[in-house]
Each structure stands twice: as C-alpha cells, then as structure tokens.
Amino acid sequence: MASYFLRRLVMAIPVMFFVALFVFLLLRLTPGDPAQAIAGDQATPAQLAAIRENLGLDKPIASQFIAWIASMAEGDFGASLISQRPVLEMIGQRVGPTLALAVMAMIFTVVISLPLGVLAAWRHGGLIDRFVMALSVVGFSVPIFVIGYVLIAVFSVNLKWFPVQGYKPFAEGFGPFLHRIVLPGLALSSFYIALVSRMTRASMLEVLREDYVRTARAKGLGERIVLFRHALRNAAIPILTVVGTGFAMMVSGVVVTETVFNIPGLGRLVVDGVLARDYPLIQAIILLTAGTYVLINLLIDLSYALTDPRIRYQ
C-alpha cells in the first residue's frame, strides 16, 4: 500500500501543474486590471504603468508564470497585490472557519443521511421511502441560501434559539462555537444530505437482494444487525466516494453559506480577491483547494481496503 500511496502522490504532480497553468492563464487572459483596482478610476496612464512595473505585471506572461512556479517550489506563494501581506498568512487566518463549517456540515450529512437511506431501502415503496425521496428532492431543488434564510427566520428570528449571524472560533469555547455553527452547518449540508441519502438507498437496495443477506435473515439475525453489519458495510464503497467528494466540494463551495451567515472564511476571501483582481491570492487559494481534492480522493481510495478486505493495492 505504501508504494501505491507514493505512486499516487507522484501522479498528482502533473495534475497540480496543469491546474496552476490553467488558473494562471485564466486570470491573465480575462478582462480586468489589478493596477486599475489599486489606483482607482482617476489614475493616469503613467500611474497605472508604474504600478504594473512595480508588481511585475508588465513582464511577459511566460516569465511571470516561471517566476511564480519557482517561488512556490521554495514555499513562497507570493504576497497580496492589495494588502502586500503573504497570501499564506491571509489564508491561514481564514481557513479555520471554513474547515469548521465543512466538518460540521459533513457530521450532519453522515448522521442524518445514512439512517435515512438505510430506512428508505428497508421500507422500499412505503411511506418512509416516499418521505425520504421527497426530502431529497427538496434538498436538491432549493438553493442553499434559501434554506439558510428559512433556518434564520425560524430558529433565530422567531424561536431565538440561535444567533442570526456571526462566528466564534473553537478556542473561545465549545458552547459559543457550537451555538453559531449549527445553522450554517445545517444549511450547507442540505444538498449533501439529499445526495448521500439517495446514494445510500440505491446501494442498500442492490445489496439487500444478495444471497448472503437472505442467509443472514434465515439464520435468525435481527434486522438491525442485517442492515448495519452485513448490508451497509458491503454497500459502503459508493457511499464513501460520495461522502469524500462531498467534503472536498464543501471546502471549496462555502461562499454562499459564509455570506448568508457572515462567517469570515475562505469563501469571502475568494470573493474579495476576485473583485480586487488579486492574482496571487486567487491562485494560491485555487491551487490549495485542488491539492485538497487530490488528497481527499487519495484517502478515499485507501479507505476502500478498510471496508472491503477483498481490495488490495499493489
């Protein structure tokens, strides 16, 4: 397994290179000028030219790309064009709220969607199955920001159980942290609860038709043991794939949720960077997000062997 892990890490290098090249060219070839964003609308052409020269934006694109790759190889992702602060420092200050939100949403997803999917498959065609399918349609159809505003209206404005907006880091106490992260976590997890519950239901329906499940029931085992020890474990591989990919998507797709609940995370930092045409900041965030995708996919592949002993890596 160690050699498999190393091979996958080596294969990730060209993937990350092409992601870096794509992001670099996309930012340079689309309309917009960082010098204009820094100097404002009243800047003269001479002032704009001076800013571009100072930032190195007047050099050929190929030279800029080579210089950026060389500095990243030394662990330097550059400094923000606007604040002049190292982009890694800015990302480090914002990554905590985003990870906390993604982890909380994933906890809600697993805790809610797996039992719902198992129950729907167990009672296939019944009222529970129809209720879960209807719930999943709502989760797929309603945008996250609408669900977020509905949760705020019900639980914050009317019942006053949770604050409307805001974020408290875990370091300031588990209670205040949990109090402010529950509603954003529920809103962000709504789509993934729908997705994972449907995937769990489909995988369980396929497994429940297998002979070993009938054998387990014929031996007199209880339904709970049959469902969760025999059926769910054998249906776990596609579910693990969706859960792992969903977590990576959460980390990169929290912009709307962070905006609705006023959470100072990476999503809002990306929006600020795009509006200001802050090339180093946007490039670093997208590249690190791509690296997160690659790492999570690798961990998903390795987890297959834990759930299914028949899988061996060479």
Side-chain angles (χ1 to χ4, degrees):
M1 185 178 288
S3 62
Y4 174 81
F5 181 78
L6 291 175
R7 281 204 310 272
R8 288 291 302 271
L9 282 182
V10 172
M11 289 169 60
I13 294 175
V15 173
M16 297 301 297
F17 176 80
F18 283 110
V19 170
L21 179 62
F22 175 77
V23 173
F24 189 88
L25 292 177
L26 182 67
L27 290 174
R28 263 56 177 193
L29 299 180
T30 51
D33 186 358
Q36 190 75 60
I38 294 172
D41 296 334
Q42 306 301 323
T44 64
Q47 290 173 323
L48 294 176
I51 293 174
R52 291 191 193 101
E53 182 180 1
N54 185 43
L55 298 176
L57 299 175
D58 58 333
K59 298 177 181 176
I61 289 180
S63 300
Q64 294 181 43
F65 180 71
I66 292 172
W68 179 52
I69 292 293
S71 63
M72 280 198 306
E74 298 174 353
D76 181 11
F77 282 67
S80 165
L81 297 182
I82 308 302
S83 66
Q84 299 300 315
R85 294 170 54 201
V87 294
L88 285 184
E89 178 185 323
M90 297 174 67
I91 293 172
Q93 291 175 346
R94 296 294 193 95
V95 74
T98 298
L99 281 180
L101 178 58
V103 169
M104 182 57 65
M106 185 50 65
I107 290 174
F108 281 132
T109 300
V110 173
V111 170
I112 296 174
S113 63
L114 288 184
L116 285 180
V118 172
L119 283 174
W122 183 43
R123 296 300 186 192
H124 180 226
L127 285 177
I128 295 178
D129 186 21
R130 294 175 185 174
F131 171 75
V132 173
M133 290 302 97
L135 200 64
S136 67
V137 170
V138 172
F140 280 126
S141 307
V142 181
I144 289 177
F145 74 91
V146 174
I147 293 178
Y149 283 126
V150 170
L151 291 174
I152 289 174
V154 174
F155 294 103
S156 299
V157 177
N158 293 326
L159 298 177
K160 301 187 184 306
W161 289 356
F162 300 97
V164 175
Q165 291 180 327
Y167 172 78
K168 288 285 186 183
F170 189 81
E172 295 186 15
F174 181 70
F177 165 76
L178 190 64
H179 197 211
R180 286 167 174 78
I181 205 71
V182 167
L183 289 189
L186 275 175
L188 181 60
S189 65
S190 58
F191 173 83
Y192 301 98
I193 289 173
L195 178 64
V196 176
S197 61
R198 289 184 74 96
M199 176 59 70
T200 304
R201 175 183 177 273
S203 299
M204 287 291 292
L205 282 177
E206 186 175 340
V207 170
L208 287 175
R209 300 188 185 101
E210 297 291 336
D211 292 338
Y212 60 84
V213 173
R214 283 195 289 270
T215 302
R217 283 174 172 156
K219 288 168 63 178
L221 297 178
E223 278 299 301
R224 184 182 300 176
I225 296 177
V226 172
L227 289 174
F228 289 95
R229 183 180 297 176
H230 294 274
L232 183 58
R233 183 170 183 177
N234 286 283
I237 288 182
I239 300 171
L240 277 175
T241 305
V242 173
V243 170
T245 309
F247 182 75
M249 292 171 64
M250 283 180 185
V251 173
S252 60
V254 297
V255 177
V256 174
T257 308
E258 289 181 354
T259 303
V260 171
F261 289 94
N262 194 26
I263 296 175
L266 280 180
R268 290 179 58 189
L269 187 63
V270 171
V271 173
D272 294 341
V274 170
L275 292 176
R277 306 291 297 180
D278 197 341
Y279 291 161
L281 181 61
I282 302 170
Q283 290 167 178
I285 292 176
I286 294 178
L287 203 59
L288 292 175
T289 303
T292 304
Y293 262 95
V294 171
L295 180 62
I296 289 178
N297 276 300
L298 176 57
L299 293 177
I300 293 171
D301 288 348
L302 295 178
S303 69
Y304 291 163
L306 299 177
T307 57
D308 190 344
R310 294 170 296 181
I311 297 177
R312 292 288 181 269
Y313 299 104
Q314 297 179 352

